[in-house]
Amino acid sequence: MDYLYTNYTIQTNELGTGVDNVGTVPAALLTFLTLQSVPEADLLVNAGTCGGFRAKGAEIGDVFLTTAVANHDRRIPIPGFAPYGTGRLESQIEDLANVAASVHAKLGVCTTGNSLDKHDWDEKHMLENDASIKDMEAAAIAWSCSMSNNTPFMGVKVVTDIVDGFRPTDEEFLENLSHAAKSLQSSLPIIIDHVCASNNDSSSKAEL
């Protein structure tokens, strides 16, 4: 079986500052545009970095596959809107545990927000989300997938900092970013090959 790998790696910079666009809005938009270009995609993989919760067994350099995603900074205290604000989406990958085992990865919920740091309200909602890891885009990407033919989503995240630790997030993130990138480079091809091999009916793969 031959597979089509479509790898969208687009370096986007914010006008005026020149820094990379990060957060949920650019992530959701790029995912939407990608899936408009490849509507037949069987899977979208979001590979990136994250913060990890030591209370959930996360350590620097750990690879996590997302079992679910949710938001922790969309607080809408209006009847009926709270579940929408959280926006929890469960993984659709049936073989996720075996995929994780192929690269000795861990499994856990990824909680998403638009700030690198956190405050007390964020922490409260992250705990309610039962989060093992924290990032700034996964929930938005998964939501765009759900709105685009319900394309299955897989988050592959490497821990750069400890959310429930004592070091400043920015310092720890920058210190470990290079190591995390190398870990992704070695793990991601194995994960993609495993997913393709376990799905004989697949005809295309999209990777973001």
Side-chain angles (χ1 to χ4, degrees):
M1 176 72 71
D2 293 327
Y3 298 95
L4 168 64
Y5 294 82
T6 305
N7 186 352
Y8 284 84
T9 305
I10 301 176
Q11 184 77 15
T12 56
N13 298 100
E14 197 274 328
L15 296 177
T17 66
V19 301
D20 297 339
N21 278 313
V22 297
T24 58
V25 173
L29 178 59
L30 179 56
T31 302
F32 173 79
L33 293 174
T34 298
L35 294 177
Q36 288 290 299
S37 299
V38 193
E40 71 278 13
D42 299 312
L43 174 69
L44 189 142
V45 177
N46 165 224
T49 61
C50 66
F53 290 83
R54 183 159 286 148
K56 287 288 190 176
E59 297 294 343
I60 299 296
D62 282 349
V63 177
F64 272 84
L65 304 189
T66 58
T67 57
V69 296
N71 297 283
H72 60 256
D73 63 353
R74 298 204 315 187
R75 296 176 290 275
I76 311 175
I78 299 174
F81 278 81
Y84 164 76
T86 301
R88 186 182 179 98
L89 293 170
E90 303 292 334
S91 173
Q92 301 180 51
I93 310 302
E94 296 180 357
D95 198 32
L96 195 61
N98 287 331
V99 177
S102 70
V103 290
H104 306 290
K106 297 179 179 180
L107 298 172
V109 176
C110 181
T111 188
T112 295
N114 277 297
S115 296
L116 185 65
D117 62 1
K118 62 177 174 63
H119 56 66
D120 292 344
W121 275 105
D122 289 332
E123 189 167 10
K124 175 181 181 294
H125 288 282
M126 287 188 284
L127 288 172
E128 290 176 353
N129 290 341
D130 193 30
S132 293
I133 55 176
K134 164 188 173 291
D135 81 343
M136 297 178 67
E137 67 274 337
I141 293 173
W143 177 82
S144 284
C145 287
S146 72
M147 299 294 287
S148 301
N149 298 320
N150 205 27
T151 302
F153 163 85
M154 179 189 292
V156 181
K157 301 289 182 174
V158 179
V159 177
T160 55
D161 54 275
I162 300 301
V163 181
D164 51 352
F166 301 99
R167 295 191 57 191
T169 301
D170 54 337
E171 292 181 6
E172 201 168 24
F173 169 79
L174 293 173
E175 180 180 304
N176 296 302
L177 181 58
S178 177
H179 173 66
K182 291 177 181 177
S183 181
L184 276 177
Q185 288 172 358
S186 62
S187 299
L188 194 57
I190 299 172
I191 291 171
I192 295 297
D193 286 344
H194 186 99
V195 171
C196 291
S198 64
N199 186 359
N200 293 328
D201 295 327
S202 298
S203 60
S204 64
K205 292 284 177 270
E207 175 190 341
L208 174 61

